[in-house]
């Protein structure tokens, strides 16, 4: 029987829990995805014996992130989307033109990532309008992730590179922005089978397609 181990976030007293049922594991992961209390990214690791581990605190680089949570204050930012969207519209347009990215796609990503909240931050360390992680920021020369100008420019540059990497395939580029390009490549250039990533792609593309009709 395949054994699955789960380390539940925010429940340190339970430590690493062994789950012998795939159904139970699916319920746990689904709960983590939809719960407003789940404030940690979830990582998966399969060892050489086929045992599967899920955790919010990976111990080594072989763990792969499968669930990336939204910023802690995402819900609180929703009522101010209209105001903040207008506030950053010029910066977004400038970055889109500079990097040759469809401005409507850029808006869709930013809305899904941070609800246009420049102060957004996740427990995993993603920061700002485009939720840049430290490594991504460093790759694109972003010194201050809290600076909207640098944040938008770095995130747009990254999105442009993903579009180029996946031959302008929006589904794959958006999936890679959420789960990382290596996850998409690792799954034979397809959207990784992570519920959060698939929902993210649907959300971004729905926002994008809706904006194109306006």
């Amino acid at each position: 029987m395949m054994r699955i181990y789960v380390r539940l976030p925010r429940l340190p007293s339970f430590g690493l829990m062994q789950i012998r049922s795939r159904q139970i594991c699916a319920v746990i992961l689904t709960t983590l995805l939809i719960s407003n209390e789940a404030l940690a990214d979830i990582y998966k690791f399969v060892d050489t014996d086929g045992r599967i581990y899920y955790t919010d605190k990976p111990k080594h680089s072989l763990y792969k992130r499968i669930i990336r949570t939204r910023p802690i204050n995402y819900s609180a930012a929703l009522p101010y989307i209209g105001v903040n969207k207008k506030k950053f519209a010029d910066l977004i347009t400038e970055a889109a033109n500079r990097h040759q990215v469809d401005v409507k796609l850029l808006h869709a990503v930013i809305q899904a990532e941070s609800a246009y909240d420049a102060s957004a931050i996740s427990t995993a360390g993603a920061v700002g309008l485009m939720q840049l992680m430290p490594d991504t920021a460093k790759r694109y020369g972003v010194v201050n992730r809290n600076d909207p100008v640098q944040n938008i420019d770095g995130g747009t540059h990254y999105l442009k590179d993903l579009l180029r990497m996946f031959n302008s395939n929006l589904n794959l580029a958006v999936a890679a922005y959420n789960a990382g390009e290596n996850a998409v490549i690792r799954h034979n250039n397809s959207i990784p089978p992570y519920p959060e990533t698939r929902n993210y792609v649907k959300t971004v593309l729905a926002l994008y397609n809706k904006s194109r009709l306006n």
Side-chain angles (χ1 to χ4, degrees), residues 66-182:
I66 62 169
I67 299 174
R68 187 180 69 171
T69 55
R70 280 175 166 170
I72 300 169
N73 50 349
Y74 186 90
S75 296
L78 289 175
Y80 307 101
I81 276 186
V83 173
N84 287 330
K85 180 178 181 180
K86 184 178 295 185
K87 178 180 179 181
F88 297 113
D90 288 344
L91 291 179
I92 294 169
T93 298
E94 290 170 7
N97 291 337
R98 184 161 52 251
H99 296 290
Q100 303 279 294
V101 172
D102 188 335
V103 68
K104 293 183 177 180
L105 176 62
L106 189 52
H107 273 284
V109 169
I110 291 174
Q111 182 168 335
E113 287 289 340
S114 66
Y116 293 95
D117 181 5
S119 63
I121 184 170
S122 77
T123 55
V127 168
L129 290 160
M130 299 199 71
Q131 287 294 278
L132 295 185
M133 293 293 286
D135 287 347
T136 304
K138 183 177 180 180
R139 188 194 313 182
Y140 292 101
V142 176
V143 177
N144 182 4
R145 290 181 294 153
N146 292 298
D147 177 11
V149 175
Q150 294 186 48
N151 191 286
I152 293 172
D153 185 76
T156 306
H157 195 168
Y158 181 39
L159 184 60
K160 172 64 176 181
D161 284 351
L162 292 174
L163 287 165
R164 184 185 299 113
M165 182 181 298
F166 296 109
N167 299 314
S168 298
N169 185 311
L170 290 182
N171 288 280
L172 298 186
V174 171
Y177 196 91
N178 176 261
E181 60 265 38
N182 290 329

Side-chain angles (χ1 to χ4, degrees), residues 8 14-15 21 26 33 42 47 64 69 71 79 82 88 95 106 123-124 130 132 168 191 196 204-205 211 213:
L8 295 177
F14 284 91
S21 166
L33 282 168
I42 305 301
D47 69 15
K64 305 302 179 183
T69 55
F88 297 113
L106 189 52
T123 55
M130 299 199 71
L132 295 185
S168 298
I191 299 175
E196 193 275 342
V204 170
L205 293 187
S211 68
L213 297 176

